[in-house]
Amino acid sequence: MSFEKKADLIVGLQWGDEGKGKIVDLLASKYDYVVRYQGGHNAGHTIVLDGKKIALHLIPSGVLNPKAINIIGNGVVVSPFHLIEEMKQFENLEGRLFISDRAHMILPYHAEIDMAKEKMRGSNAIGTTGRGIGPCYTDKVARNGFMIMELLDENTLFKKLEAYFADNKKLFEAYGVEIPSMSELMNEIRRYKEVLAPYISNTTQIVWKALREGKNILLEGAQGTLLDIDHGTYPYVTSSNTIAAGSCSGVGLSPKDIGKVIGIAKAYSTRVGNGVFPTELEDATGEKLRVSGAEFGTTTGRARRCGWFDAVAVRYACRLNGVDAVSLMKLDVLDGFEKIKICIAYKKDGQMLDYVPSSMDGITPVYEEMDGWESLKGAKTFADLPANAQKYVLRLEELIDTKIEMVSISPERNDTIFR
Ligand code: IMP
């Protein structure tokens, strides 16, 4: 068996919202295929093209390159309703978009359960996007879920849904969520089938064939490493494996199929939702980052929590994902800061830690301070950057022990410096 051609991968190294969409879009012209492997429409990739903002939630970012084929892998949880809405932004996608027949469907009741559960958690709420991601993955793991391909056999799906609601009646009652009317749900399902049937495919076979033919494939991660269900800040995480390893199960690839891993990190940190965030700044500096960086969620519009760059967390993420090169995003947001801090270690129970412990509760950041710069505007090469900005990038590179290959200095495609 030959594994000569490999799929490259883009993965977020923080808590999501690192700016992966811009890099995927930038690289998409090099790739014949762009493939999503986990998550769902909780993701929000914003791409700015010629000043126009395009928000993608489910459709891979390669959709903006007319030559790229876009695949939604089996590991993604797909809301047919939202997918259809998103597809309306584009002209005919047939032949350019394929949805795994094995991807699980988020049906309307999943979002309702998500929100009901959050309400019940009270002050311990995760701060989910309310999109039904967790309840859909829960059903998948509990072997209660419905795969996209089940849309194609309406009668069987009807019977299975009836049985599902009968089995889960008590649960729905406990959550205060109404069991949907079967006739309304089936009408909705018929509409999903009508629109989506031409796109439903065995995407694992498509990807294998593409690799065999030597095509260039990019695997597009959603969310970020610290939100990974196994390696993130559990339970304040999403319900999928966001790390590079998730692409194997989420597409049907072997570890040997993975080629270059590109990690995306913002020049500072943000997080949406609850959970530990060691470098969070709940002061004017955090507010400055939020405003300069337009740190409001693409999916929910929520204000993001902001803080300094956490080199310990990003180093951990680089190791977990086997990152070959990092793209450092939004460096321009740090323009005009007199001093910039970097978290270089954690302190817990009086002890210094240079790694991410299994529980991050109760840790405090240990900072190093650097001088800031005025503005990055107009820089085309690394050498054009102000000396202090160069020093900052080089220091981060040292701390995360991984090459920083690209530096982004504005949302525009062209404002990207390659080193
Ligand atoms: P869920 O994925 O909606 O269940 O949300 C779980 C956690 O992941 C919450 O803290 C969300 O804010 C966070 N989250 C989910 N998707 C994204 C994303 O695309 N970017 C940033 N955070 C996300």
Side-chain angles (χ1 to χ4, degrees):
M1 200 174 282
S2 146
F3 290 99
E4 273 170 28
K5 191 68 197 180
K6 295 182 189 293
D8 295 339
L9 187 138
I10 292 259
V11 66
L13 301 179
Q14 293 154 320
W15 283 273
D17 308 317
E18 296 91 351
K20 297 177 288 294
K22 170 175 168 170
I23 298 300
V24 178
D25 172 56
L26 196 71
L27 297 179
S29 61
K30 285 191 0 197
Y31 289 93
D32 306 303
Y33 289 75
V34 181
V35 185
R36 275 279 303 269
Y37 59 86
Q38 46 68 233
H41 66 303
N42 50 348
H45 291 184
T46 310
I47 290 161
V48 179
L49 192 54
D50 301 328
K52 191 179 157 211
K53 259 192 191 173
I54 299 166
L56 295 173
H57 298 280
L58 260 173
I59 301 178
S61 306
V63 71
L64 299 168
N65 165 16
K67 284 190 233 134
I69 289 176
N70 296 276
I71 293 191
I72 297 178
N74 59 275
V76 177
V77 281
V78 177
S79 156
F81 177 88
H82 286 94
L83 178 58
I84 291 168
E85 287 303 302
E86 200 170 311
M87 286 166 72
K88 287 179 186 163
Q89 297 180 89
F90 306 96
E91 279 177 25
N92 189 15
L93 288 172
E94 264 185 67
R96 292 223 295 128
L97 175 68
F98 295 93
I99 309 158
S100 168
D101 47 12
R102 295 167 67 100
H104 277 246
M105 279 191 282
I106 299 185
L107 292 171
Y109 53 84
H110 285 126
E112 287 181 52
I113 293 175
D114 194 355
M115 288 183 280
K117 282 179 102 163
E118 280 287 270
K119 213 167 152 197
M120 287 166 102
R121 285 185 189 114
S123 61
N124 293 324
I126 291 165
T128 73
T129 58
R131 297 298 191 261
I133 306 294
C136 181
Y137 277 119
T138 303
D139 275 348
K140 175 180 175 175
V141 174
R143 291 154 294 180
N144 271 331
F146 299 102
M147 293 182 278
I148 287 269
M149 65 177 155
E150 294 182 77
L151 286 178
L152 305 176
D153 180 355
E154 194 181 308
N155 293 335
T156 310
L157 182 55
F158 179 87
K159 283 187 206 130
K160 284 175 79 174
L161 275 164
E162 268 196 330
Y164 171 88
F165 291 127
D167 288 350
N168 290 284
K169 196 166 171 278
K170 287 233 158 66
L171 217 58
F172 275 75
E173 272 169 21
Y175 291 135
V177 172
E178 242 180 78
I179 291 183
S181 118
M182 278 307 283
S183 65
E184 277 172 29
L185 185 59
M186 287 316 289
N187 280 343
E188 221 9 46
I189 278 174
R190 267 176 226 116
R191 187 175 73 90
Y192 299 160
K193 176 188 167 182
E194 223 164 83
V195 182
L196 298 181
Y199 301 91
I200 301 174
S201 309
N202 182 328
T203 50
T204 300
Q205 291 298 323
I206 295 176
V207 173
W208 285 2
K209 183 165 178 280
L211 281 175
R212 219 164 35 234
E213 290 171 351
K215 301 280 194 220
N216 295 316
I217 297 181
L218 184 64
L219 305 166
E220 179 183 15
Q223 289 85 49
T225 299
L226 278 301
L227 290 174
D228 183 273
I229 184 81
D230 283 288
H231 299 281
T233 50
Y234 192 89
Y236 297 97
V237 292
T238 192
S239 299
S240 64
N241 281 116
T242 58
I243 59 170
S247 70
C248 292
S249 53
V251 178
L253 293 171
S254 90
K256 292 175 186 162
D257 289 312
I258 311 299
K260 183 171 180 176
V261 178
I262 302 160
I264 316 293
K266 227 165 356 195
Y268 50 99
S269 308
T270 63
R271 169 161 208 171
V272 221
N274 300 328
V276 61
F277 181 13
T279 63
E280 180 168 19
L281 295 165
E282 292 176 280
D283 57 9
T285 311
E287 186 56 24
K288 190 172 170 192
L289 284 172
R290 188 172 306 115
V291 172
S292 310
E295 294 296 352
F296 298 90
T298 317
T299 300
T300 58
R302 286 182 291 179
R304 296 178 185 142
R305 300 156 66 193
C306 297
W308 297 120
F309 188 89
D310 184 339
V312 186
V314 176
R315 184 165 63 236
Y316 168 76
C318 285
R319 176 62 185 87
L320 266 174
N321 292 292
V323 171
D324 294 298
V326 168
S327 292
L328 190 69
M329 311 305 291
K330 292 183 129 178
L331 187 62
D332 56 303
V333 172
L334 297 178
D335 281 3
F337 278 87
E338 206 177 309
K339 298 282 178 190
I340 297 169
K341 289 185 185 177
I342 309 169
C343 168
I344 54 162
Y346 300 141
K347 218 173 195 176
K348 187 171 181 169
D349 303 328
Q351 268 196 319
M352 292 280 270
L353 304 177
D354 65 354
Y355 62 93
V356 174
S358 301
S359 165
M360 286 170 95
D361 291 339
I363 58 174
T364 50
V366 178
Y367 287 119
E368 181 176 295
E369 195 174 71
M370 296 189 77
D371 291 328
W373 56 85
E374 268 311 304
S375 168
L376 306 182
K377 251 204 179 74
K380 295 284 169 224
T381 66
F382 190 68
D384 292 342
L385 294 176
N388 285 345
Q390 291 186 34
K391 273 192 211 159
Y392 182 68
V393 174
L394 295 175
R395 181 64 181 137
L396 295 191
E397 190 171 74
E398 192 174 44
L399 288 166
I400 64 176
D401 203 15
T402 311
K403 166 103 182 149
I404 296 177
E405 208 175 57
M406 274 190 258
V407 180
S408 173
I409 58 164
S410 104
E412 289 291 338
R413 237 187 214 179
N414 294 335
D415 282 331
T416 313
I417 291 170
F418 293 82
R419 293 178 65 217

